[in-house]
Amino acid sequence: MTAVGAPTGISQGSRTRGGVGESTLRPDGVLKVTGAFAYASDMWHEDMLWGQILRSTVAHAEIVSVDTSEALATPGVYAVMTYDDLPTGVRHYGLEIRDTPVLAHGKVRHHGEPVAIVAADHPETARRAAARITVEYRELPLVTDEASATAPGAVLVHEHRTDHHAAHVPHPNIVHRQPIVRGDADAAAGRADVIVTGDYSFGMQDQAFLGPESGLAVPGEDGGVDLYIATQWLHSDLRQIAPVLGLPEDRVRMTLSGVGGAFGGREDLSMQIHACLLALRTGKPVKMVYNRFESFFGHVHRHPARLHYEHGATRDGRLTHVRCRIVLDGGAYASASPAVVGNAASLSVGPYVCDDVDIEALALYSNNPPCGAMRGFGAVQACFAYEAQMDKVARELGLDPVEFRRINAMEQGTLMPTGQSVDSPAPVAELLRRIKAMPMPPERQWESSEGADVRQLPGGLSNTTHGEGVVRGVGYAVGIKNVGFSEGFDDYSTARVRLEAAGGRPVVTVHTAMAEVGQGGVTVHAQIARTELGVTQVTIEPADTRVGSAGSTSASRQTYVTGGAVKHACEQVRERVLDIGRRRFGSHHPAWAGAGLLLEGGKVVTDGGEVLADLVDVLEDEVIEVEREWRHRPTEPFDPRTGQGNGHVQYSFAAHRAVVEVDTELGLVKVVELACAQDVGKALNPLSVIGQIQGGTVQGLGIALMEEVVVDPVTAEVKNPSFTDYLLPTILDTPALPVDVLELADDHAPYGLRGVGEAPTLSSTLAVLAAVRDATGLALDRTPVRPEHLTGTA
């Protein structure tokens, strides 16, 4: 890892072991790699029942009748519930728009929509009983794309739409629309020496987390319920669940259970309400665990997209204008589609300077599977198109593609298409320089004195080639991703920090509602507490709703926002400690009255290193506890007509170089190396930062070459809901992943840090595709690229 830049302002106690800037190990790491970690699906309760969902077998239909009599008559069944059995009052939920029924009412809008739920004393009994529910459907015409969604007389997916976005869109089957207009694209086009257009198609991707949806609901003696759940956002779940149950929020108590990955797929509710309803109906604990088939239907996916782009440039390589239209398919329910549209639109030009833009992004309602948050959140789809365009324009001008990007690279002070100034380091040109300067992997690595090592070849252990027809390609890409919630959202987090003396030692306890989904927040929060309070022993309490909201573990925001809240609470604790010390020892040492006192190594010291007192002696029997909210600087909504506004709080940048080898006869691709250069502001835990970058990189490889939820264009049914047919990169597909990390501090952020986890997924995808284009000479305007696209048999 290479670090560049000025010191990033670690505040107090930076020499305490295990603090900010050190590669500390995860407290849950050994448990996870040895299989001893307790995930949500491992939970157990005496006398618990098992819940099961009956899902629709068609994508759009009127529900004529539902007969539950046979299910209710099944021995071991305790309850069967349909929409008519729900508590009176609120029966819909949603992240931004409350448009999703808890159970289907009147009609179903997508394949796999929940229709009924069952509780039984054994999971197989629950499944058999659900299969005995008879549902009669009368199928309705389907909305599957923009043409069928917006044609005259089109069927409405939501026939009674009244949400607050309706006034901003031209048709009820459009969830949200965001134009961005800046400068004069028409006039700028007249100054262009070359104009290049392209049409691109981006496939639907699944988050494919390894731990399927699961939870345990336990009815309480007070008529409430305790829910132990794998989620990304406890308080958002609570806000949606409590009204449906007809309970005040303080009687729905939520605790985070072990989460086996998320990537956006756990931002929306899955079985939370269903498990609680069954627990309250039966008076018994109810556990629900999806199998892999159900998981493909039980959470949102990444929006598939169609994108049309036009770029103009002068002969010397300067962009004149960008026009684009991005159409995202949001599926049957809104989920996070409005925010995804905002991201796709505002980031649609990429990390480049362009004063004249005409942009439109929108999301459709359709009868396809619901889509919402996934790593990259609209920026991935846009990056796929704008980076392909940058290669096309460079080729048209006869310029090196990296040099063309560097000519147009934004920097600190550049205005985004939204008119917002990028007011922190934007080292786009430097990232490109670094990634191009990295050593190339050796040619023909599969060759050895003993013959070809097929593991290094396209097709791998399938032994399809020994190097005949294998061509190498190299591709580059760079991307821009926002950090944190945007467009005026009140993005804050809460932390409770307690400092006390126990067993003759100072100890710190940190309590937040942050969902640990693998990103390493449990490590970072302890590092921050050690740095700010100078105490080595830090305990992280389980996340639950007994403390204020931490927001979602998404948008690369948790280290920034919840880390900021922990830092802020620790600073308040530190000041209280020093106030106590001044009252107790002030008369004995003049330094107590001055500024610059630190907590370090369990002691109070001056900034010159002189020890004034042991921290335990200062505390005596006192317990100092502080709970504080912390907010980053405010953002504002984009203007609904022009898209202008300071909509984002921070930007992150990553660049990739991909080296691939392609069997041009069979259409097989081997990614040899995916090198990354990324600015992280400040690496709070360098080991974790590298892991996040490498993980996002491989996820981008999956989008490029393998991963797609295939939806039948005629029936809107999901055709591959299993890991047998939905392909994922394995260790044998994972290339060398060298990483070059820059640390250029953002002065607006805690410690100067910058969100890390999403940006690598943008540029890795496009670097791989650029390399495959370089090897084959093909346009490759869709993702994922399949063998038939490379052999001309598609």
Side-chain angles (χ1 to χ4, degrees):
M1 184 178 91
T2 304
V4 183
T8 51
I10 294 175
S11 56
Q12 310 290 343
S14 60
R15 292 186 291 262
T16 298
R17 184 183 175 203
V20 165
E22 296 184 34
S23 289
T24 60
L25 298 179
R26 295 178 58 100
D28 55 358
V30 173
L31 295 174
K32 286 180 173 177
V33 299
T34 59
F37 185 79
Y39 290 98
S41 56
D42 297 315
M43 290 185 295
W44 196 267
H45 197 288
E46 185 180 356
D47 199 29
M48 73 181 184
L49 303 177
W50 295 79
Q52 180 65 44
I53 299 172
L54 175 72
R55 299 181 181 274
S56 66
T57 56
V58 294
H60 195 205
E62 177 187 347
I63 299 175
V64 178
S65 64
V66 181
D67 184 353
T68 62
S69 57
E70 285 194 42
L72 283 166
T74 302
V77 169
Y78 280 71
V80 179
M81 299 181 71
T82 66
Y83 182 89
D84 292 336
D85 299 305
L86 300 178
T88 58
V90 176
R91 296 183 175 185
H92 289 70
Y93 64 92
L95 271 180
E96 298 188 36
I97 301 171
R98 190 180 285 172
D99 63 353
T100 309
V102 173
L103 294 169
H105 174 55
K107 63 188 285 189
V108 295
R109 294 180 172 86
H110 70 92
H111 181 208
E113 181 163 356
V115 176
I117 51 177
V118 176
D121 59 5
H122 190 279
E124 291 301 326
T125 302
R127 277 190 274 272
R128 286 197 303 271
R132 290 174 179 170
I133 299 172
T134 302
V135 183
E136 182 182 353
Y137 297 106
R138 181 181 295 117
E139 293 199 47
L140 299 170
L142 292 169
V143 174
T144 58
D145 55 20
E146 186 180 15
S148 58
T150 60
V155 173
L156 300 185
V157 178
H158 293 270
E159 56 274 22
H160 304 298
R161 240 189 106 186
T162 58
D163 66 80
H164 63 284
H165 289 284
H168 299 166
V169 299
H171 193 282
N173 281 340
I174 296 176
V175 184
H176 184 56
R177 174 180 177 269
Q178 180 63 67
I180 297 179
V181 180
R182 184 165 171 264
D184 188 338
D186 289 338
R191 300 191 298 270
D193 294 314
V194 299
I195 294 178
V196 173
T197 63
D199 290 283
Y200 304 94
S201 176
F202 195 101
M204 183 185 296
Q205 188 188 17
D206 188 69
Q207 292 85 353
F209 38 71
L210 294 184
E213 292 85 343
S214 50
L216 175 67
V218 182
E221 294 181 356
D222 61 351
V225 64
D226 292 273
L227 178 62
Y228 303 86
I229 187 69
T231 181
Q232 287 180 247
W233 192 351
L234 286 165
H235 285 78
S236 175
D237 288 5
L238 176 63
R239 173 180 56 82
Q240 298 172 77
I241 294 168
V244 174
L245 302 181
L247 294 173
E249 289 187 1
D250 61 1
R251 286 169 63 191
V252 181
R253 298 164 290 269
M254 300 183 63
T255 301
L256 186 74
S257 56
V259 182
F263 312 113
R266 300 189 202 270
E267 277 202 39
D268 294 78
L269 299 183
S270 56
M271 35 60 62
Q272 285 94 321
I273 294 176
H274 300 146
C276 291
L277 286 168
L278 290 170
L280 293 172
R281 171 62 67 94
T282 63
K284 290 179 173 289
V286 174
K287 178 177 178 177
M288 297 188 78
V289 180
Y290 289 178
N291 59 30
R292 184 58 58 188
F293 176 88
E294 290 177 289
S295 184
F296 271 91
F297 296 100
H299 63 259
V300 298
H301 308 287
R302 188 190 297 281
H303 293 74
R306 294 192 177 275
L307 311 95
H308 175 78
Y309 267 75
E310 174 185 296
H311 280 65
T314 59
R315 188 60 60 188
D316 62 355
R318 300 284 176 179
L319 288 175
T320 58
H321 72 285
V322 176
R323 292 191 183 102
C324 71
R325 187 169 189 270
I326 301 170
V327 179
L328 303 164
D329 187 346
Y333 297 106
S335 182
S337 286
V340 174
V341 166
N343 264 22
S346 60
L347 303 174
S348 60
V349 175
Y352 305 112
V353 178
C354 188
D355 294 328
D356 298 282
V357 299
D358 187 348
I359 297 160
E360 180 187 33
L362 57 89
L364 304 171
Y365 275 127
S366 74
N367 296 121
N368 293 320
C371 292
M374 187 175 175
R375 193 177 203 162
F377 204 80
V380 172
Q381 294 92 323
C383 185
F384 169 57
Y386 67 65
E387 283 299 87
Q389 285 286 107
M390 294 297 283
D391 281 339
K392 280 186 178 182
V393 177
R395 188 163 53 250
E396 188 72 17
L397 293 171
L399 295 174
D400 175 81
V402 173
E403 183 58 26
F404 175 57
R405 287 171 168 84
R406 290 180 64 189
I407 290 171
N408 293 283
M410 67 165 52
E411 57 189 14
Q412 188 166 350
T414 294
L415 293 184
M416 296 291 291
T418 60
Q420 181 172 8
S421 175
V422 178
D423 61 357
S424 62
V428 179
E430 174 64 12
L431 293 172
L432 288 164
R433 185 194 68 77
R434 284 169 167 264
I435 204 67
K436 190 167 186 181
M438 292 178 73
M440 289 286 289
E443 297 271 0
R444 304 180 70 85
Q445 292 186 69
W446 65 81
E447 291 184 333
S448 70
S449 59
E450 299 178 358
D453 181 352
V454 296
R455 294 172 299 176
Q456 303 297 326
L457 282 161
L461 294 175
S462 59
N463 198 22
T464 57
T465 180
H466 282 218
E468 309 88 351
V470 174
V471 180
R472 172 168 283 201
V474 180
Y476 296 87
V478 61
I480 178 173
K481 174 67 178 65
N482 67 305
V483 173
F485 295 152
S486 306
E487 299 188 59
F489 189 94
D490 185 16
D491 191 6
Y492 72 93
S493 188
T494 313
R496 183 185 300 148
V497 175
R498 185 172 70 248
L499 173 64
E500 59 192 315
R505 300 172 59 190
V507 296
V508 176
T509 303
V510 177
H511 188 189
T512 76
M514 179 211 69
E516 173 58 55
V517 302
Q519 82 278 13
V522 290
T523 301
V524 168
H525 293 174
Q527 291 178 268
I528 292 172
R530 293 186 189 107
T531 295
E532 299 298 330
L533 296 176
V535 175
T536 301
Q537 186 172 335
V538 179
T539 299
I540 306 297
E541 286 200 0
D544 54 37
T545 51
R546 293 183 299 114
V547 65
S549 177
S552 175
T553 300
S554 60
S556 303
R557 63 177 289 281
Q558 281 292 12
T559 300
Y560 191 133
V561 184
T562 304
V566 172
K567 181 175 186 291
H568 180 52
C570 285
E571 289 168 345
Q572 301 299 306
V573 169
R574 184 175 67 239
E575 287 308 308
R576 291 194 186 181
V577 170
L578 296 178
D579 284 344
I580 294 170
R582 290 183 180 106
R583 290 197 302 269
R584 290 184 179 165
F585 302 106
S587 59
H588 302 298
H589 199 298
W592 279 106
L597 298 184
L598 312 176
L599 305 183
E600 185 175 304
K603 301 179 184 300
V604 181
V605 300
T606 66
D607 53 9
E610 181 182 0
V611 177
L612 298 184
D614 286 334
L615 191 53
V616 170
D617 293 335
V618 176
L619 290 171
E620 292 185 345
D621 295 327
E622 296 206 38
V623 175
I624 302 173
E625 182 171 283
V626 170
E627 181 173 328
R628 289 289 185 271
E629 290 181 355
W630 187 85
R631 287 169 169 80
H632 57 61
R633 52 194 175 144
T635 59
E636 62 188 22
F638 297 127
D639 184 278
R641 295 178 299 105
T642 66
Q644 300 302 289
N646 294 330
H648 298 307
V649 66
Q650 188 190 59
Y651 298 98
S652 60
F653 305 91
H656 276 86
R657 182 189 67 199
V659 179
V660 305
E661 285 165 349
V662 182
D663 185 328
T664 56
E665 297 174 358
L666 295 178
L668 301 176
V669 178
K670 171 70 175 180
V671 182
V672 176
E673 181 186 84
L674 256 175
C676 181
Q678 182 168 342
D679 174 29
V680 304
K682 170 64 184 178
L684 270 63
N685 186 327
L687 184 64
S688 181
V689 164
I690 295 293
Q692 284 288 297
I693 294 172
Q694 291 179 332
T697 295
V698 175
Q699 203 157 30
L701 182 159
I703 305 171
L705 299 177
M706 303 178 189
E707 297 185 47
E708 183 176 17
V709 177
V710 178
V711 181
D712 190 298
V714 176
T715 65
E717 295 179 7
V718 177
K719 306 301 290 183
N720 60 333
S722 76
F723 282 172
T724 301
D725 301 306
Y726 182 91
L727 301 182
L728 290 166
T730 70
I731 190 64
L732 293 176
D733 302 299
T734 302
L737 300 168
V739 176
D740 187 357
V741 172
L742 283 75
E743 295 185 274
L744 303 178
D746 178 352
D747 293 336
H748 307 284
Y751 304 112
L753 68 86
R754 197 183 300 275
V756 173
E758 293 177 286
T761 305
L762 278 67
S763 48
S764 60
T765 302
L766 280 305
V768 170
L769 289 172
V772 177
R773 293 185 189 114
D774 181 56
T776 63
L778 298 173
L780 304 179
D781 57 5
R782 80 175 306 277
T783 183
V785 171
R786 300 196 182 105
E788 58 265 31
H789 302 139
L790 303 179
T791 60
T793 59

